[in-house]
Amino acid sequence: MTRYIDRLSDFRKDYYHILSKEFPEFLDDYINTKEMLRLEGVNQICGSYWRKKNIFNNKYSVLDHSIAVALIIWNFTHDKIQTLAGLFHDISSPAFKHCLDFMNGDAETQETLEDDTIDVIRNSKEIMSLLNRDGITLEEVVNYKIYPIADNETPKLSADRLEYTFMNGIYLKEVRNLDIIARIYNDIDVFKDEKGMLELGFKTISIAEQFVFGAKELWPIWIGSEDIVTIYFFGDMLKRLFQDNIIELNDLYKLSEQEIMRLFATSKNKKVAEDYTNLMTKAVFRDSDIFVLDKFCVSKKTKKRYINPLTKKGRLKDVSNKAKKYITEFLDNKVSSYAYLDI
């Protein structure tokens, strides 16, 4: 059987090689299951990818992200169970990923679908057979949050948070390239935090500052009007397809995002097709401190993502005036209460 990594572009191979010099063979069997391969059709950057796709050099799927997270965990732990928990952490992601969280009223934590992870794995004959073969229980791999190298609370640094910061840095702002990623990554080690918990951190203050300098360019984008309105809008479009009995929730685990977008564009509901076309071609995004009637207006209250990593000398914000300035400016920056689509 051809190894999964052999099918990848040189860019993806080089990136994965930075994260782990070894691509462990046991990952191949799990990656090549139906449930994992489905994630190739789900974009990591939710609906925003499709509006900004002209600036992306490579597709960034949930599968790409999940494998990269697994490789980071493997690099720092060489623990098969933790690595698989990282690989599976987004296995329950539907098409358009967090758009469903926003539709479900969970813009602040974006975790409404994580409870489905155990059902997806439990119902997969392929994955359960592999876990049984490897002597691993379901309970050990369904919640990556129990492994602090894999995931932890904002603003700490974890494999998940590190990975999407690296790749968003390439795709959204071009503040990173593979050479910069390698320089930053090679300075990371495992430390104990203030409570004695394991956490990824930096050996060198200047490298940690470089990491946060690039990351701070992304933080405003993730809470910006364009991204938030787009995510809400795709969630609303999906809801209308549900209401028109065009698709059911289960279809979001069967169809790719491109297939669903064709349903938007060709919907017999002319309003759906018109709104979709306007979103993709004519949309102008505005901020507002009051709710705007007769527009697609949404609250900007959402998950605020930022990182204040550990270093050998303590939490970066406490030992670096530069980092303190970056982080404080982001946290203190006034954000409008609402955003709307001006069409």
Side-chain angles (χ1 to χ4, degrees), residues 290-301:
I290 60 172
F291 186 82
V292 180
L293 298 173
D294 301 322
K295 299 290 184 183
F296 187 82
C297 186
V298 299
S299 168
K300 285 189 71 177
K301 195 173 184 180

Side-chain angles (χ1 to χ4, degrees), residues 116-155:
D116 296 335
T117 297
I118 189 169
D119 292 327
V120 173
I121 296 175
R122 182 193 289 126
N123 293 328
S124 169
K125 292 181 179 179
E126 287 181 280
I127 294 176
M128 289 305 299
S129 175
L130 292 170
L131 291 175
N132 290 333
R133 181 198 69 186
D134 293 340
I136 300 171
T137 67
L138 177 65
E139 290 71 25
E140 289 177 304
V141 296
V142 295
N143 181 12
Y144 81 134
K145 293 179 182 297
I146 65 176
Y147 305 114
I149 296 300
D151 186 58
N152 49 34
E153 294 296 321
T154 300

Side-chain angles (χ1 to χ4, degrees), residues 306-321:
Y306 73 102
I307 301 171
N308 180 19
L310 273 178
T311 73
K312 267 189 172 182
K313 295 185 178 180
R315 195 67 62 182
L316 184 63
K317 187 181 175 200
D318 299 327
V319 299
S320 163
N321 288 330

Side-chain angles (χ1 to χ4, degrees), residues 212-250:
V212 172
F213 178 79
K216 77 176 178 63
E217 298 296 305
L218 303 170
W219 301 339
I221 294 175
W222 294 331
I223 59 170
S225 295
E226 180 173 356
D227 276 30
I228 289 176
V229 173
T230 298
I231 292 173
Y232 268 114
F233 198 87
F234 272 112
D236 185 71
M237 296 284 286
L238 292 170
K239 183 186 290 187
R240 286 194 269 174
L241 290 187
F242 297 153
Q243 292 170 343
D244 292 341
N245 297 315
I246 304 299
I247 60 172
E248 298 176 348
L249 183 61
N250 284 342

Side-chain angles (χ1 to χ4, degrees), residues 9 28 63 69 107 123 135-136 142 154 179 183 193 203 213 218 225 229 240 255 259 264 269 278 306 321-322 333 343:
S9 67
D28 279 303
L63 181 62
V69 169
N123 293 328
I136 300 171
V142 295
T154 300
D179 289 338
R183 189 181 314 126
D193 71 8
K203 293 177 279 190
F213 178 79
L218 303 170
S225 295
V229 173
R240 286 194 269 174
L255 302 175
E259 289 171 322
F264 294 150
N269 184 331
N278 284 336
Y306 73 102
N321 288 330
K322 285 183 181 178
N333 184 43
I343 54 173

Side-chain angles (χ1 to χ4, degrees), residues 144-195:
Y144 81 134
K145 293 179 182 297
I146 65 176
Y147 305 114
I149 296 300
D151 186 58
N152 49 34
E153 294 296 321
T154 300
K156 297 179 180 180
L157 185 62
S158 64
D160 182 30
R161 202 163 289 121
L162 176 65
E163 200 290 317
Y164 68 63
T165 302
F166 275 161
M167 292 311 292
N168 275 259
I170 286 178
Y171 290 134
L172 292 179
K173 288 291 286 187
E174 297 183 353
V175 295
R176 307 235 190 270
N177 57 44
L178 293 186
D179 289 338
I180 294 173
I181 286 175
R183 189 181 314 126
I184 291 171
Y185 191 70
N186 290 335
D187 194 67
I188 294 175
D189 206 344
V190 178
F191 297 88
K192 286 188 177 180
D193 71 8
E194 299 87 345
K195 297 181 180 180

Side-chain angles (χ1 to χ4, degrees), residues 256-274:
S256 70
E257 291 178 359
Q258 287 180 302
E259 289 171 322
I260 293 172
M261 290 200 324
R262 282 195 287 272
L263 295 177
F264 294 150
T266 60
S267 174
K268 293 180 181 179
N269 184 331
K270 292 183 179 180
K271 189 72 170 68
V272 170
E274 179 185 347

